[in-house]
């Protein structure tokens, strides 16, 4: 099947190359065409009037659950959900079973990803089995294909280990992604500590549990001169620390997830286990601070922390329920809501979801320059849809946004010029 | 049953479940208390039984050990002629085997009319309502609520004071882990009392004032001119969370003694939801003084629970 397309009448938003124009985009043999290139015989035309054409979106923080927990998600189902959500690439966290702390698991993931619907960038573990005791083999994993390192979900407690990880990772040009959390605070916590946790009688996790470790990680990045990326930032204090660190030149980048700028801890009311995640949903002032930080550059990326769980983990007592929600299919509409509210502009939207994740991970993408692989997402910003149990593409359905009417979504997702998702069925589907 | 007497407020009681005081308006609380007051007399008869709930099936589903609350509910149900069944399960063994939802669905398939549940996880009774057809009564969930205890506390105070409006109600101790404190704060506040709390900062939850309580800076401020002084059972440590250095230090600084009670109004009531750590949060002489209504709390508990069983059955 041809991988040549003429995408007509779209709004091309490509901030890396300073482009925001109305017009056509030509893809020839799976790559973005150069200025002189003309449509050849095999080119198929698609009218994308009213839609945006943007560099393929990259979700730099997902859990694909393979190997080990395929009943929740696997690489094929997870990347299918990614493509449906407009993502052409995802970075998958290493907390699989076994943990991706070495070459073997990395190779397995990349092998499985060949049947997937989006590019998969494995993130390797910082420590062996993510136990926080000794360093995993970074050089080996880098050679096998990991793009970054993280002990996500099992935050590195030992500051010396974290220091060594930053130093050693720097030698292999791998970014350390920190799930910054002091676990001793809120050891029994199941939601944000505050008036709502008191009302619901649920044990709290204080905001300080996050900011204490954000400060430690910034201090180590500053001391070693190595970069650090802070995952899923949720509190005012963390954002203030990151903002100040950036101002004095510390190499720190940070992401947040759509639920932190969309919901507050009030969503837990009724003991909704689909509103349980870690870090927990915070208060309204925290939510507003996250919105502000997305606009002012304190936060660099939106990543979903897509964390599929089955009913076995979620249809249980709130205290016993697993942390995490799926997010790949709701990230675009929830982030577009910020554009509609005037909090960020279209260019910033593309930076947060494509340009910056590519830059932080050091992977291709985030650009529609001539000659680059045609990884692109076509978004209809006006299209409204109901997000329901029946429409979820992911294998799991643990979303607090079920039943929401959302606005704006990907209608076409291409990787290397191949169609990975086509909402309106206008193209022949890429057969996996 | 003299339903005319219980319906004097003309209140339409529409609650199928009793999950927490938070869901009850002042009017509904008043209606429950009036109903309980009318039932209290039954427990004083030589034949302590009325046929009101004959043919009704009530299941006590207790995932946490309980002596007094379960006994109180069971006595209440039997005095109303309902058939009662007790199921005890430890949360840990339930986790290993059947899920709570499967247990609930199985019980529901046997058509009980009321399920009374106690569970160590907050919100479990509310979750249960989504899976069963029966009425659900919360007999204490985690650190959330213990509505029947809150109601019997209000009944006891109203019985002695003739009112709840305008009273100063003081609660001292482990507010953080007390579902009774939560139900009392919401209930008494809703009925017009002012609730003051005091305890070491380690035991005062964040945002408590949003529930309507005044958090005091000293024992003196908390107890001065109080109409009711309630102390809560104290635990030194919970799940390796270091809350207090010693019981000795707690007793010296937060324990309610005769001297402390002298700050309260002369006719102030002494209450405790039990079981008491005598000599820690409450001195024995205070617990046994004429101001103590601790045993009235137990008596009224049966009446309140009879009222709740009656009312959730649609007071037919
Ligand atoms: Zn994480």
């Amino acid at each position: 099947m041809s991988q040549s397309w003429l995408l007509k009448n779209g709004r091309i938003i490509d901030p890396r190359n300073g482009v925001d124009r109305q017009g056509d985009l030509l893809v020839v043999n799976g790559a973005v065409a150069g200025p002189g290139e003309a449509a050849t015989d095999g080119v198929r035309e698609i009218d994308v009037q009213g839609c945006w054409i943007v560099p393929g979106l990259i979700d730099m923080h997902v859990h694909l659950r393979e190997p080990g927990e395929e009943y929740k998600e696997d690489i094929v189902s997870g990347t299918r959900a990614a493509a449906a959500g407009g993502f052409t690439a995802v970075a998958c966290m290493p907390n699989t079973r076994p943990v991706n702390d070495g070459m073997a698991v990395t190779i397995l993931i990349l092998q499985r990803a060949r049947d997937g619907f989006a590019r998969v960038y494995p993130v390797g573990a910082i420590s062996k089995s993510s136990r926080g005791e000794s360093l995993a083999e970074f050089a080996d994993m880098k050679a096998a294909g990991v793009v970054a390192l993280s002990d996500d979900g099992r935050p590195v407690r030992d500051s010396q280990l974290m220091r060594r990880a930053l130093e050693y990772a720097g030698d292999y040009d791998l970014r350390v992604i920190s799930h910054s959390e002091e676990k001793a605070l809120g050891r029994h916590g199941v939601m944000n500590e505050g008036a709502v946790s008191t009302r619901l009688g649920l044990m709290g996790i204080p905001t300080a549990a996050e900011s204490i470790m954000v400060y430690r990680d910034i201090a180590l990045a500053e001391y070693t001169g190595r970069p650090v990326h802070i995952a899923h930032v949720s509190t005012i204090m963390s954002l203030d620390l990151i903002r100040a660190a950036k101002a004095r030149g510390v190499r720190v980048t940070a992401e947040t997830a759509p639920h932190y700028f969309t919901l507050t801890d009030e969503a837990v009311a009724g003991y909704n286990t689909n509103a349980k995640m870690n870090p927990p949903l915070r208060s309204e002032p925290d939510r507003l601070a996250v919105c502000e930080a997305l606009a002012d550059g304190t936060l660099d990326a939106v990543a979903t922390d897509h964390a599929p769980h089955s009913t076995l983990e979620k249809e249980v007592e709130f205290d016993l329920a697993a942390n995490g929600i799926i997010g790949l299919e709701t990230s675009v509409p929830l982030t577009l809501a910020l554009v509609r509210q005037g909090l960020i502009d279209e260019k910033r939207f593309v930076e947060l979801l494509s340009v910056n994740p590519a830059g932080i991970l050091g992977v291709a993408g985030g650009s529609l320059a001539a000659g680059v692989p045609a990884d692109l997402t076509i978004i209809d910003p006006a299209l409204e849809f109901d997000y329901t149990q029946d429409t979820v593409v992911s294998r799991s359905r643990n979303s607090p946004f079920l039943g929401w009417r959302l606005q704006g979504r990907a209608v076409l997702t291409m990787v290397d010029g191949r169609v990975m998702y086509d909402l309106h069925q206008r193209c022949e589907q890429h057969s996996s | 049953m003299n339903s005319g007497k219980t319906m004097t407020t003309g209140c339409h009681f529409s609650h199928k479940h009793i999950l927490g005081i938070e869901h009850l308006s002042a009017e509904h609380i008043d209606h429950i208390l009036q109903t309980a007051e009318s039932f209290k007399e039954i427990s004083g008869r030589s034949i302590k039984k009325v046929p009101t709930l004959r043919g009704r099936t009530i299941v006590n589903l207790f995932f946490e050990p309980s002596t007094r609350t379960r006994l109180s509910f069971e006595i209440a149900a039997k005095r109303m002629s309902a058939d009662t069944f007790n199921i005890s399960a430890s949360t840990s063994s339930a986790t290993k085997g059947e899920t709570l939802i499967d247990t609930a669905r199985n019980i529901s398939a046997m058509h009980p009319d009321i399920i009374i549940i106690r569970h160590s996880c907050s919100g479990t009774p509310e979750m249960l309502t989504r899976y069963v057809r029966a009425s659900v009564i919360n007999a204490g969930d985690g650190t959330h609520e213990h509505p029947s205890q809150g109601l019997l506390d209000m009944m006891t105070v109203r019985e002695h004071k003739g009112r709840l409006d305008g009273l100063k109600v003081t609660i001292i101790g482990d507010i953080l882990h007390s579902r009774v404190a939560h139900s009392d704060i919401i209930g008494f506040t809703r009925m017009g009392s002012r609730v003051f709390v005091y305890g070491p900062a380690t035991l005062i939850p964040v945002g408590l004032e949003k529930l309507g309580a005044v958090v005091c800076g000293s024992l003196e401020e908390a107890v001065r001119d109080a109409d009711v002084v309630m102390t809560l059972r104290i635990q030194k440590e919970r799940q390796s969370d270091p809350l207090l250095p010693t019981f000795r230090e707690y007793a010296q600084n937060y324990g309610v003694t005769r001297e402390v009670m002298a700050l309260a109004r002369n006719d102030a009531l002494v209450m405790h939801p039990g079981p008491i750590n005598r000599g820690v949060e409450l001195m024995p002489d205070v617990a046994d003084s004429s101001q103590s209504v601790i045993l009235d709390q137990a008596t009224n508990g049966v009446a309140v629970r009879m009222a709740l069983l009656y009312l959730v059955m649609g007071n037919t």
Side-chain angles (χ1 to χ4, degrees):
Chain A
M1 174 185 160
S2 161
Q3 275 119 52
S4 299
W5 307 91
L6 182 61
L7 306 169
K8 292 180 66 106
N9 305 315
R11 176 179 171 189
I12 302 162
I13 309 172
D14 178 17
R16 170 89 68 84
N17 299 298
V19 172
D20 186 351
R21 67 175 172 89
Q22 203 66 37
D24 303 345
L25 187 88
L26 180 64
V27 172
V28 176
N29 294 327
V32 175
E37 278 185 76
T40 52
D41 281 352
V43 170
R44 292 189 52 192
E45 288 188 10
I46 309 172
D47 188 359
V48 294
Q49 178 86 43
C51 295
W52 302 350
I53 303 172
V54 304
L57 306 183
I58 300 170
D59 190 337
M60 63 181 296
H61 191 139
V62 304
H63 299 270
L64 295 180
R65 305 300 188 208
E66 187 177 2
E69 293 179 303
E70 292 83 354
Y71 68 100
K72 297 178 180 180
E73 192 86 283
D74 61 27
I75 289 168
V76 169
S77 71
T79 54
R80 190 183 281 121
F87 292 96
T88 56
V90 294
C92 60
M93 287 294 156
N95 63 335
T96 46
R97 292 183 192 174
V99 169
N100 183 13
D101 62 357
M103 195 172 230
V105 179
T106 304
I107 290 169
L108 175 100
I109 290 169
L110 289 171
Q111 190 194 327
R112 290 278 200 273
R114 285 187 216 137
D115 295 331
F117 292 80
R119 294 183 198 276
V120 174
Y121 296 120
V123 176
I126 291 172
S127 63
K128 290 195 183 104
S129 301
S130 288
R131 281 209 199 92
E133 290 159 8
S134 54
L135 292 176
E137 292 176 324
F138 296 178
D140 243 25
M141 287 193 287
K142 167 88 177 184
V146 306
V147 299
L149 301 161
S150 183
D151 274 358
D152 185 50
R154 297 186 68 180
V156 178
R157 199 172 157 225
D158 185 323
S159 299
Q160 178 69 359
L161 180 71
M162 191 64 171
R163 173 197 170 159
R164 294 304 187 209
L166 290 173
E167 289 171 340
Y168 191 56
D171 287 354
Y172 297 95
D173 207 18
L174 289 168
R175 190 72 54 109
V176 171
I177 300 173
S178 177
H179 168 132
S180 301
E181 182 189 3
E182 167 54 278
K183 282 272 185 194
L185 279 168
R187 192 179 281 133
H188 310 291
V190 293
M191 70 172 294
N192 182 49
E193 182 169 287
V196 181
S197 65
T198 295
R199 191 180 87 216
L200 295 173
L202 294 171
M203 286 297 126
I205 301 169
T207 53
E210 178 179 298
S211 51
I212 283 171
M213 279 305 192
V214 168
Y215 183 75
R216 181 201 70 175
D217 294 334
I218 287 171
L220 290 173
E222 189 162 18
Y223 186 74
T224 60
R226 301 294 200 186
V228 70
H229 177 79
I230 313 290
H232 40 59
V233 178
S234 69
T235 79
I236 294 173
M237 179 64 86
S238 302
L239 293 166
D240 287 346
L241 291 166
I242 294 164
R243 189 177 286 117
K246 284 187 166 190
R248 57 177 194 275
V250 182
R251 297 169 72 193
V252 57
T253 52
E255 76 195 28
T256 193
H259 37 278
Y260 301 117
F261 58 73
T262 307
L263 301 172
T264 66
D265 53 4
E266 288 286 355
V268 177
Y271 303 92
N272 179 8
T273 58
N274 284 339
K276 183 178 178 184
M277 68 282 289
N278 186 24
L281 296 171
R282 303 291 187 181
S283 65
E284 179 66 3
D286 292 301
R287 188 188 73 81
L288 293 171
V290 169
C291 292
E292 190 191 328
L294 285 167
D296 73 13
T298 303
L299 289 170
D300 300 277
V302 169
T304 64
D305 198 4
H306 179 81
H309 288 294
S310 78
T311 54
L312 293 175
E313 292 82 23
K314 285 295 195 181
E315 280 194 15
V316 295
E317 296 86 328
F318 192 90
D319 284 342
L320 307 179
N323 284 310
I325 63 168
I326 55 170
L328 283 164
E329 297 162 66
T330 48
S331 184
V332 164
L334 296 174
T335 310
L336 280 173
L338 301 180
V339 177
R340 285 197 300 277
Q341 291 159 32
L343 295 166
I344 60 170
D345 62 14
E346 294 85 341
K347 172 173 166 278
R348 185 77 187 140
F349 170 89
V350 177
E351 287 170 353
L352 291 167
L353 280 163
S354 178
V355 180
N356 295 347
I360 294 164
L361 296 174
V363 299
S367 164
L368 293 177
V372 303
D375 287 15
L376 53 87
T377 306
I378 296 172
I379 293 168
D380 183 341
L383 186 62
E384 291 189 35
F385 67 104
D386 293 309
Y387 185 62
T388 63
Q389 292 263 0
D390 304 332
T391 63
V392 174
V393 175
S394 168
R395 183 163 294 159
S396 292
R397 296 183 167 76
N398 52 311
S399 169
F401 304 111
L402 290 175
W404 283 39
R405 187 157 183 83
L406 299 170
Q407 189 180 353
R409 70 185 293 180
V411 293
L412 192 65
T413 308
M414 277 186 190
V415 174
D416 273 335
R418 292 180 304 156
V419 174
M420 295 299 176
Y421 177 73
D422 177 16
L423 177 68
H424 300 309
Q425 306 289 317
R426 288 181 297 193
C427 321
E428 206 180 319
Q429 200 83 16
H430 155 69
S431 54
S432 165
Chain B
M1 189 50 229
N2 182 351
S3 60
K5 189 179 172 190
T6 61
M7 296 305 284
T8 46
T9 57
C11 161
H12 179 65
F13 191 89
S14 52
H15 296 273
K16 182 183 177 190
H17 310 293
I18 303 292
L19 303 176
I21 304 276
E22 63 177 318
H23 305 295
L24 301 172
S25 65
E27 189 191 19
H28 285 153
I29 292 170
D30 181 60
H31 183 60
I32 294 166
L33 298 186
Q34 283 198 40
T35 308
E37 282 152 14
S38 75
F39 278 138
K40 192 175 175 180
E41 161 272 328
I42 295 165
S43 296
R45 297 181 191 170
S46 58
I47 306 222
K48 304 172 181 60
K49 210 171 184 108
V50 291
T52 318
L53 295 182
R54 186 155 52 199
R56 299 289 195 179
T57 304
I58 297 177
V59 173
N60 281 315
L61 183 56
F62 277 59
F63 289 91
E64 219 184 42
S66 158
T67 311
R68 62 186 70 205
T69 301
R70 200 176 86 175
L71 180 64
S72 182
F73 266 113
E74 196 172 351
I75 289 175
K78 293 208 153 103
R79 287 191 182 156
M80 307 287 280
S81 302
D83 298 316
T84 64
F85 303 89
N86 294 320
I87 302 170
S88 298
S90 85
T91 315
S92 57
S93 73
T95 325
K96 280 179 208 141
E98 197 174 43
T99 67
L100 174 80
I101 290 166
D102 282 337
T103 306
R105 283 182 174 141
N106 264 287
I107 294 170
S108 187
M110 298 177 208
H111 302 285
D113 296 287
I114 301 173
I115 298 174
I116 296 161
I117 180 171
R118 164 167 292 196
H119 200 289
S120 58
C121 297
S122 300
T124 306
E126 184 168 340
M127 184 178 115
L128 195 66
T129 62
R130 299 199 274 267
Y131 300 94
V132 301
R133 285 185 298 272
S135 286
V136 173
I137 296 178
N138 178 5
D141 63 329
T143 52
H144 175 227
E145 281 227 43
H146 191 349
S148 61
Q149 179 75 39
L151 289 161
L152 73 88
D153 287 344
M154 287 186 269
M155 178 177 174
T156 304
V157 171
R158 188 155 92 168
E159 192 174 75
H160 287 272
K161 297 288 171 196
R163 67 193 167 102
L164 294 172
D165 191 44
L167 298 181
K168 175 173 178 175
V169 176
T170 297
I171 306 176
I172 297 163
D174 184 357
I175 312 295
L176 178 62
H177 299 99
S178 175
R179 53 197 175 208
V180 176
H182 289 158
S183 290
D184 278 336
I185 289 168
I186 299 167
F188 278 101
T189 304
R190 212 157 273 179
M191 297 307 283
S193 307
R194 293 166 307 137
V195 180
F196 294 73
V197 303
Y198 182 64
T202 51
L203 299 177
I204 305 292
V206 175
L208 192 64
E209 54 293 336
K210 291 252 172 81
L211 291 184
V214 177
V215 179
C216 298
S218 70
L219 189 56
E220 187 184 335
E221 181 194 347
V223 177
R224 184 169 298 288
D225 299 325
D227 295 286
V228 176
V229 176
M230 184 185 302
T231 54
L232 301 171
R233 183 177 174 80
I234 213 81
Q235 280 179 269
K236 206 170 71 188
E237 185 184 274
R238 289 178 77 110
Q239 300 173 301
S240 76
D241 190 355
L243 299 164
L244 297 168
T246 55
F247 280 147
R248 175 182 157 276
E249 191 159 291
Y250 184 87
Q252 283 176 354
N253 294 282
Y254 307 92
V256 172
T257 60
R258 273 193 188 285
E259 294 68 46
V260 170
M261 280 309 294
L263 296 166
R265 291 174 59 94
N266 289 336
D267 59 352
L269 305 176
V270 171
M271 301 178 79
H272 193 298
I276 308 172
N277 288 312
R278 286 176 175 259
V280 181
E281 68 264 7
L282 190 59
M283 300 310 128
D285 53 347
V286 181
D288 301 331
S289 72
S290 60
Q291 286 172 277
S292 169
V293 293
I294 293 168
L295 295 178
D296 296 4
Q297 290 175 269
T299 305
N300 289 336
V302 174
V304 156
R305 289 169 180 128
M306 288 168 79
L308 291 177
L309 298 174
Y310 169 73
L311 290 169
V312 297
M313 283 290 88
N315 41 32
T316 44

